[in-house]
């Protein structure tokens, strides 16, 4: 079995694959102070509920955008699962993804994993919109090449900024309001956040397609993707597992090339 780890700025996702089948995934809040032992206690207990033991894991790949967490994640895998984890950076070198930007080393590991999975699953000219700590828009060419992107503040980050900067504004949940114009503070904030992000999505997708002079298939991923997909035609497909699927594909390609 393969353990794929997507360690982001807000959450870390641990996904378990048996061949191509995603059989389980669990998430915890990202904390660079968390030790390998703490990860192990939490993760092995969850695995046991699925009837899986550490001995069943014969491979691991890690996507990590939090450098401070790297050491303990690697210690987790080498110490408790008795295998050497593969990093996305290592796997991408073997996969030979064309990265058509000025500074290829600056592309986040999770964004490259998304590009691999989107190309494999959907093909053609693609935009991947990932609703994470940041909201990112990534362009994937028909040959699978990564050709640039956009980074905007994530929706939860924007809401936290409102709450922290304005003394009389409450903390709110992300949901679609009944009307665009709010009739109280909460509904006004929900409208600004929700419809503001709909405008962001539709506006940026439209501008990308005008600039590229082609039509793209747009894939949404991340926890909030289904909420926006229900409201706008600018997102054609939603795949919340896109990143971990990309990690599996990278791992398999690397193993095949190394055999």
């Amino acid at each position: 079995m393969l353990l794929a780890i997507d360690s982001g700025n807000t959450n870390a996702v641990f996904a378990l694959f048996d061949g191509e089948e995603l059989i389980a995934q669990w998430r915890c809040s990202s904390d660079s102070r968390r030790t390998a032992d703490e990860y192990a206690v939490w993760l092995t207990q969850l695995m046991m509920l699925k009837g899986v033991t550490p001995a069943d894991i014969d491979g691991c790949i890690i996507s990590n955008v939090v450098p401070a967490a790297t050491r303990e994640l690697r210690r987790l895998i080498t110490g408790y699962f008795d295998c050497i984890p593969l990093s996305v950076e290592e796997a991408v070198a073997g996969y030979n993804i064309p990265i058509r930007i000025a500074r290829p080393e600056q592309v986040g590991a999770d964004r490259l994993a998304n590009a691999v999975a989107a190309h494999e699953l959907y093909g053609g000219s693609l935009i991947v919109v990932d609703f994470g700590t940041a909201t990112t828009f990534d362009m994937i060419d028909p040959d699978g090449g990564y050709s640039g992107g956009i980074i905007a503040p994530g929706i939860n980050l924007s809401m936290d900024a409102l709450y922290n900067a304005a003394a009389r504004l409450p903390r709110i949940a992300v949901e679609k309001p009944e009307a665009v114009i709010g009739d109280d503070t909460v509904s006004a904030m929900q409208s600004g956040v929700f419809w503001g992000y709909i405008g962001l999505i539709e506006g940026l997708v439209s501008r990308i397609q005008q600039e590229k002079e082609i039509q793209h298939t747009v894939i949404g991923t991340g926890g909030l993707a289904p909420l926006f997909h229900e409201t706008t035609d600018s997102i054609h497909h939603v795949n919340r597992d896109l990143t971990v699927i990309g990690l599996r594909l990278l791992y398999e390609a690397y193993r095949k090339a190394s055999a």
Side-chain angles (χ1 to χ4, degrees), residues 48-196:
M48 285 176 60
L49 295 176
K50 290 288 185 180
V52 178
T53 70
D56 295 321
I57 306 301
D58 54 20
C60 176
I61 182 168
I62 299 175
S63 164
N64 179 34
V65 298
V66 184
T70 300
R71 180 174 177 271
E72 294 303 313
L73 286 172
R74 294 188 68 86
R75 284 188 62 232
L76 166 70
I77 302 307
T78 57
Y80 287 91
F81 295 93
D82 195 29
C83 61
I84 305 299
L86 177 69
S87 72
V88 167
E89 290 75 15
E90 293 171 298
V92 164
Y95 197 85
N96 196 29
I97 301 170
I99 303 178
R100 302 183 173 106
I101 63 173
R103 300 290 296 275
E105 72 279 4
Q106 293 183 352
V107 184
D110 53 341
R111 299 169 76 182
L112 291 177
N114 285 344
V116 169
H119 174 66
E120 179 74 18
L121 296 175
Y122 303 98
S125 297
L126 304 170
I127 301 171
V128 175
V129 185
D130 192 343
F131 297 92
T133 305
T135 299
T136 58
F137 296 71
D138 292 309
M139 270 51 71
I140 297 95
D141 296 329
D143 65 351
Y146 178 88
S147 58
I150 297 166
I151 302 174
I155 189 166
N156 286 313
L157 197 63
S158 296
M159 289 196 306
D160 286 344
L162 274 177
Y163 172 75
N164 291 323
R168 300 189 64 182
L169 294 183
R171 191 181 295 277
I172 61 170
V174 182
E175 56 184 63
K176 180 181 177 180
E178 294 183 1
V180 175
I181 300 174
D183 59 6
D184 58 26
T185 298
V186 170
S187 62
M189 291 175 67
Q190 287 175 333
S191 184
V193 170
F194 182 84
W195 292 111

